[in-house]
Amino acid sequence: KQWYQRRVRAIINLLFKCYFKTNKLHLCKPLILAIESNVAIKDDYTTSERVTFHYFVGMKYMFENEFKGAEKCLSFAFENCHKDCLDNKKKILIYLIPVKITLGFMPKVAILKKYNLTEFVDVVEAVKTGNIKLLNDTIERNSSFFIRAGIYLILEKLKVITLRNLFKKIYLISGSFQMDISRFKAALNWLGLEDVDSDETECILANMINDGYIKGYLSEQHKKIVVSKVNAFPKLKTFL
């Protein structure tokens, strides 16, 4: 029976690898259900098999924009991966880092340098400071690495979070719950997005309000944004 269970576990992890390589992620769901519903197989997993299982499930969650589930699984994989398996820990971090950033947790530069993932240093700095130009330049400069890793589109999604952080800085500096939309346009233009006009700025703000990044509303008549007096910029982990 133990021999059978070991073979089943090995085959399931091998199927995960095959499905990811052939971009058939929808076929992973039956495998996950098979493991989750079989207590005997699940409890008998070795640590390395658990790491592999959580790694692939975490990636599946990430590609489906289920970032909380992805963070939980990938964190488990990273924390339980043997400390001497630096290459494997690096592979996990390549996916865990953008997931963490998406949820508002910024990795330390020391970690990035330890695992030779310096491509993310400016990504973290850009998102943290709201520097959309730096983020665009960094993604473009390291595009080949991000594309090979399969996270290019995930990093593209960080742009809205970067804008959210930029707009939050403008809000904090203004000290007011009512702000002219022209302030946000000026900030975007100053950061190198010179083609962004008032209408596009208004559209960006409207989308961010609709998606939950900002609590408030737009006053088209007065060309202002009015934000909530309570938690105007909700923490990302509360709604992503």
Side-chain angles (χ1 to χ4, degrees):
K1 185 177 179 180
Q2 289 183 344
W3 175 87
Y4 169 76
Q5 290 178 352
R6 284 198 300 270
R7 299 300 297 173
V8 169
R9 297 196 304 268
I11 291 172
I12 286 177
N13 282 340
L14 182 60
L15 286 172
F16 271 126
K17 294 178 182 179
C18 292
Y19 292 156
F20 270 88
K21 283 189 176 182
T22 56
N23 196 29
K24 295 180 179 179
L25 302 188
H26 64 284
L27 296 177
C28 293
K29 188 173 182 179
L31 297 181
I32 297 172
L33 292 175
I35 293 295
E36 295 294 342
S37 62
N38 193 318
V39 178
I41 294 179
K42 184 178 179 181
D43 290 348
D44 203 35
Y45 254 9
T46 64
T47 300
S48 62
E49 288 170 336
R50 288 177 186 273
V51 167
T52 301
F53 176 74
H54 281 82
Y55 170 69
F56 283 114
V57 174
M59 285 202 297
K60 178 180 180 294
Y61 278 135
M62 182 190 71
F63 290 125
E64 293 175 345
N65 295 327
E66 296 287 343
F67 295 111
K68 288 181 181 178
E71 194 273 336
K72 181 179 179 180
C73 288
L74 292 172
S75 291
F76 177 93
F78 180 75
E79 292 165 6
N80 290 276
C81 184
H82 195 281
K83 61 183 179 64
D84 293 332
C85 297
L86 297 180
D87 287 342
N88 287 342
K89 290 180 82 72
K90 178 178 179 178
K91 288 179 181 178
I92 298 169
L93 276 178
I94 287 175
Y95 300 100
L96 181 56
I97 288 170
V99 168
K100 285 276 193 183
I101 296 175
T102 299
L103 293 174
F105 303 103
M106 302 298 162
K108 296 181 179 179
V109 174
I111 292 291
L112 302 179
K113 290 184 177 179
K114 177 180 178 180
Y115 291 96
N116 193 27
L117 289 170
T118 53
E119 294 89 352
F120 288 102
V121 172
D122 283 342
V123 171
V124 172
E125 179 65 18
V127 176
K128 187 190 303 184
T129 60
N131 191 333
I132 188 64
K133 183 178 187 303
L134 176 61
L135 181 64
N136 287 337
D137 292 345
T138 303
I139 292 176
E140 180 64 27
R141 184 172 67 251
N142 299 299
S143 59
S144 58
F145 170 78
F146 295 139
I147 291 172
R148 282 199 311 273
I151 58 173
Y152 185 86
L153 293 179
I154 302 296
L155 291 176
E156 281 285 314
K157 295 177 181 179
L158 294 180
K159 291 182 179 180
V160 67
I161 297 175
T162 304
L163 289 173
R164 175 254 189 201
N165 292 342
L166 170 64
F167 294 164
K168 184 178 180 180
K169 289 174 68 175
I170 295 172
Y171 157 69
L172 293 173
I173 292 172
S174 71
S176 173
F177 299 106
Q178 299 183 34
M179 295 160 285
D180 292 334
I181 293 175
S182 60
R183 285 192 177 190
F184 299 92
K185 173 184 176 297
L188 293 172
N189 295 159
W190 183 74
L191 284 171
L193 304 182
E194 298 175 357
D195 294 335
V196 175
D197 58 18
S198 297
D199 289 339
E200 188 172 353
T201 303
E202 189 172 334
C203 183
I204 292 172
L205 288 167
N207 286 333
M208 295 183 76
I209 292 171
N210 184 64
D211 293 337
Y213 290 94
I214 302 175
K215 290 171 64 176
Y217 63 91
L218 294 176
S219 172
E220 292 188 21
Q221 181 180 359
H222 299 97
K223 296 295 180 182
K224 290 179 180 291
I225 179 173
V226 181
V227 299
S228 172
K229 294 183 179 181
V230 180
N231 198 22
F233 290 80
K235 290 185 177 181
L236 299 171
K237 64 180 181 180
T238 62
F239 64 92
L240 288 178

